[in-house]
Amino acid sequence: MALPVASQTQWAFDTSANTETWSSDYELRLQLIREQEQLSDLYGDEDTRRSAVEMRLDLQLRCNKGLCKGTRLVLKPRLALHEDDRPASMPDPYPDWFAEGYLLYETGTGTRIGAGKRLQGWGPSLLYSPTNRLFPDNGAVTPRRDIPGKPMAFISTDISAHGRASFLVADPRLDDVSGIDSGGSFQMARTEWNWVQGQVTTLGAVAAGGGGFQPYAGGYFQHTLGDAWTVGAEIATSRGYAESLGGALELQQNSGHWHWDGIFNLRYGASSGAETGLELIYNGYALSDEELLNPQLAALPSAGRGPSRNRPLHPYVQRRYALLQTTWPKLFGNRRWNLTARLLQGLDHSSTSAFSEVSYSPSDGATFYLGLSRSRAGKALALSQPITHSGYLAVDVFF
């Protein structure tokens, strides 16, 4: 069966009868990774490498009774050592020593209030969420790397038997980009309704902006069709994407005109757990032909290696794309083998980005990964594709 709307939320509250005042859940793992990338001719035709060792602890503490009942503390510290010989002109998100850390309290009526460094995601999109400019990508582009949270205060509460409303104020922690104002706080209001009556239906609406981003509004929808098929859509619109500084070079995507971006997808989920999805992507904030030929602009949305999480720029450079993605959690009929593969095809200009990752778990205590990617682009998009091909070997060891 196809999955309902994906959400990057953390653990649910433990509703079991726990006799201890405080209880805990944790996961401790060690990741080792070795990456190699080949830069295109326009970026030096170099062979670059990165090696990293990272210890990841995901810890949750819950209070089950007494005055603190309903309190949850989530901590995700990281300890990393890395060596990287890739060009400094191609910035890349390094591991954050403190991926998440927040305190949350749930009242007896189901209202949740919290503050701290947190990651939030929603919607049916496979790679990029148009309605979530605070966390625009879901990590699928760089699956062996954390997406760190951002400092925020948040609250959510039930508004009906099927609906829930959420509000947050966050520090977007945006990187400086010449000509764009990235200061201030980001505010968001979101409502989501869910119905489970034979089929699963999810409907959401979002209004947000600030912290460098122009005010925007959008919505998302997902509905299961029988036992295997799921249809989804997500769109957002704003008068410009980010806020340009007066007198500086103004990107076409930040001009004072209304633009929109969105996705539409169809997924098929097999009884084995495998899923294949086709997604069409429209980007009304595309770079102009002149911007695509500017070496100071063309590679900025991707930061050289995939959608940037900390730049007030749209992560796609052209207007229309098609994405084909498949996941096989039981490759060869064996739960220890997994495969993920996708093909992202630009439809306006010639560009292709392919990725595949196969993993093998010899035991429950370790998983090995092999990831390969290859990109190509025509002359019009050459500067926006700095990496021609790359690969990595990684291992996760669980304690």
Side-chain angles (χ1 to χ4, degrees), residues 108-262:
T109 60
T111 297
R112 297 179 182 179
I113 305 170
K117 190 176 182 182
R118 191 185 189 195
L119 168 68
Q120 289 201 40
W122 55 82
S125 62
L126 298 175
L127 284 183
Y128 160 74
S129 174
T131 64
N132 190 355
R133 295 181 183 176
L134 189 64
F135 298 104
D137 73 280
N138 62 14
V141 173
T142 52
R144 297 304 113 219
R145 303 191 188 185
D146 272 334
I147 298 179
K150 295 180 180 181
M152 65 178 67
F154 51 90
I155 182 172
S156 67
T157 187
D158 291 333
I159 55 176
S160 72
H162 299 282
R164 193 167 182 84
S166 304
F167 307 89
L168 67 82
V169 178
D171 176 1
R173 302 185 69 193
L174 297 176
D175 297 337
D176 290 331
V177 176
S178 178
I180 298 179
D181 181 6
S182 58
S185 63
F186 180 90
Q187 304 93 39
M188 185 208 71
R190 180 171 67 95
T191 55
E192 183 174 291
W193 295 268
N194 293 277
W195 295 270
V196 183
Q197 297 175 341
Q199 280 74 42
V200 180
T201 302
T202 298
L203 182 66
V206 178
F213 296 102
Q214 295 286 6
Y216 70 94
Y220 54 93
F221 165 81
Q222 186 160 292
H223 178 69
T224 58
L225 306 171
D227 295 330
W229 293 92
T230 301
V231 62
E234 183 173 357
I235 64 171
T237 183
S238 62
R239 191 172 181 178
Y241 193 77
E243 299 181 7
S244 294
L245 295 170
L249 177 65
E250 183 171 323
L251 291 172
Q252 176 174 276
Q253 63 183 253
N254 298 331
S255 62
H257 300 285
W258 286 97
H259 306 279
W260 69 277
D261 60 346

Side-chain angles (χ1 to χ4, degrees), residues 263-308:
I263 65 96
F264 173 83
N265 60 36
L266 183 66
R267 305 189 206 184
Y268 175 80
S271 58
S272 64
E275 182 181 83
T276 299
L278 173 65
E279 184 166 277
L280 301 178
I281 303 164
Y282 176 80
N283 170 28
Y285 305 91
L287 295 182
S288 68
D289 292 340
E290 292 77 14
E291 289 166 345
L292 287 171
L293 296 176
N294 186 334
Q296 295 180 321
L297 297 177
L300 281 178
S302 67
R305 295 175 174 84
S308 171

Side-chain angles (χ1 to χ4, degrees), residues 97-112:
W97 74 272
F98 198 51
E100 292 187 73
Y102 62 90
L103 186 68
L104 187 153
Y105 174 71
E106 182 177 33
T107 68
T109 60
T111 297
R112 297 179 182 179

Side-chain angles (χ1 to χ4, degrees), residues 298-347:
L300 281 178
S302 67
R305 295 175 174 84
S308 171
R309 305 176 183 113
N310 296 309
R311 294 188 169 206
L313 296 161
H314 199 282
Y316 292 117
V317 298
Q318 60 176 310
R319 197 167 298 274
R320 297 173 182 86
Y321 297 84
L323 171 69
L324 180 64
Q325 180 169 295
T326 185
T327 57
W328 293 77
K330 294 180 181 178
L331 190 64
F332 312 125
N334 187 331
R335 71 177 182 88
R336 297 200 177 277
W337 287 92
N338 294 270
L339 171 68
T340 297
R342 67 172 173 269
L343 177 67
L344 181 66
Q345 178 68 48
L347 301 180

